[in-house]
Amino acid sequence: MEKLRLGVNIDHVATLRNARGGATPDPVRAAMLAEQAGADGITAHLREDRRHIRDADIGAIMEATSIPLNFEMAATDEMQAIALSHMPHAACIVPEKREERTTEGGLEVAGDQNRLGHFIGPLADAGIRVSLFIAADPAQIEAAARIGAPVIEIHSGAYTDFDSEGDVAARDAELARIVEGVKLGHDLGLEVHVGHGLNYDTVAPIAALPEVRELNIGHFLMGEAFFVGLDAAIAGMRARMDAARA
Ligand code: PXP
């Protein structure tokens, strides 16, 4: 089975920095530590309101680390220009406005195929690996394949929310949908990633799916890092991923 990559999302280090408006804690330092702790990539979301990372963080993260940057961005001209000027390894297109979002929280691809198809073209032509952050909905997955996205990231937020609420039946139904979605994406020739809300309890059933190539995890790891340090938090996640994979 191919190795399951762990992308560590450092956005919440930036959120904490921004809460005081100063320079600490530094998300670039978190990215360097994540690399040392065995992360396979860094994920960061430049939001339109810059509530997580800021523009200057992008180049600084790319300079300070040698693992790939997965740049999360809305499908806007501004973000496209920023991605093209920095040339991250990957760009994950995420919904930012309500009308771009499906009820499950993913990007509305099926209803916006023409625009998104045109939008991802220049990124792909420049050599940036484009992924689309979508719900485990067959219509969205098929639309992603139709517009030529090489990668999808399936939104695990509903699964992890139901788990934290203790609604086991709803959680298991969501997990079953993710399993089907992962298989469909893989059968359509897409590389399949999963992310949002994953923690030590919810990661194993996802990591066990052989078709999943990458997980992107941030909030839980950064919270855990307060108590045990970022390297131990990442090592704990890596160990659970590897155990589930085996
Ligand atoms: N994947 C995508 C596309 C995201 O936007 C995020 C952040 O919301 C994550 C993964 C990581 O989610 P979390 O921080 O809940 O682990």
Side-chain angles (χ1 to χ4, degrees):
M1 211 188 297
E2 287 183 274
K3 189 193 173 205
L4 178 60
R5 293 193 301 265
L6 172 60
V8 172
N9 184 318
I10 51 77
D11 283 336
H12 293 296
V13 180
T15 314
L16 191 57
R17 173 195 63 189
N18 300 348
R20 276 285 172 94
T24 62
D26 182 3
V28 179
R29 187 171 170 199
M32 292 163 69
L33 270 176
E35 177 174 15
Q36 284 164 25
D40 301 295
I42 300 299
T43 293
H45 187 179
L46 186 68
R47 284 188 172 264
E48 276 167 36
D49 65 5
R50 308 305 197 258
R51 89 173 83 128
H52 300 318
I53 63 160
R54 299 182 190 132
D55 300 58
D57 295 323
I58 306 166
I61 290 168
M62 290 179 69
E63 188 136 314
T65 58
S66 55
I67 49 179
L69 174 65
N70 174 34
F71 179 60
E72 291 183 356
M73 52 180 270
T76 64
D77 291 345
E78 182 201 15
M79 291 300 153
Q80 188 188 59
I82 292 171
L84 290 171
S85 74
H86 285 283
M87 292 296 296
H89 170 77
C92 180
I93 314 301
V94 300
E96 192 129 336
K97 298 194 175 71
R98 192 173 307 153
E99 56 271 24
E100 296 175 302
R101 194 179 304 262
T102 59
T103 45
E104 301 94 340
L107 186 68
E108 175 58 65
V109 184
D112 204 9
Q113 280 182 62
N114 276 347
R115 185 179 78 96
L116 285 171
H118 283 110
F119 181 80
I120 67 175
L123 298 170
D125 290 347
I128 300 172
R129 200 187 53 152
V130 174
S131 78
L132 303 177
F133 185 45
I134 56 176
D137 171 353
Q140 302 298 339
I141 297 165
E142 283 159 6
R146 256 196 313 275
I147 68 170
V151 182
I152 54 171
E153 179 163 325
I154 292 188
H155 196 315
S156 48
Y159 159 66
T160 58
D161 283 349
F162 285 130
D163 182 74
S164 60
E165 290 159 13
D167 188 339
V168 173
R171 178 200 65 192
D172 290 350
E174 270 306 315
L175 180 58
R177 250 162 52 88
I178 293 174
V179 171
E180 289 305 310
V182 165
K183 293 211 168 85
L184 175 61
H186 184 258
D187 288 348
L188 291 170
L190 301 170
E191 180 171 312
V192 182
H193 303 174
V194 179
H196 201 91
L198 293 169
N199 62 22
Y200 286 162
D201 296 327
T202 49
V203 74
I206 306 289
L209 302 172
E211 300 89 352
V212 175
R213 295 297 313 283
E214 180 174 308
L215 303 180
N216 283 298
I217 308 180
H219 185 268
F220 172 79
L221 287 175
M222 296 309 153
E224 190 67 7
F226 277 122
F227 306 111
V228 301
L230 189 53
D231 51 352
I234 290 173
M237 189 60 79
R238 181 85 254 170
R240 284 162 176 84
M241 287 164 59
D242 291 345
R245 206 73 167 171

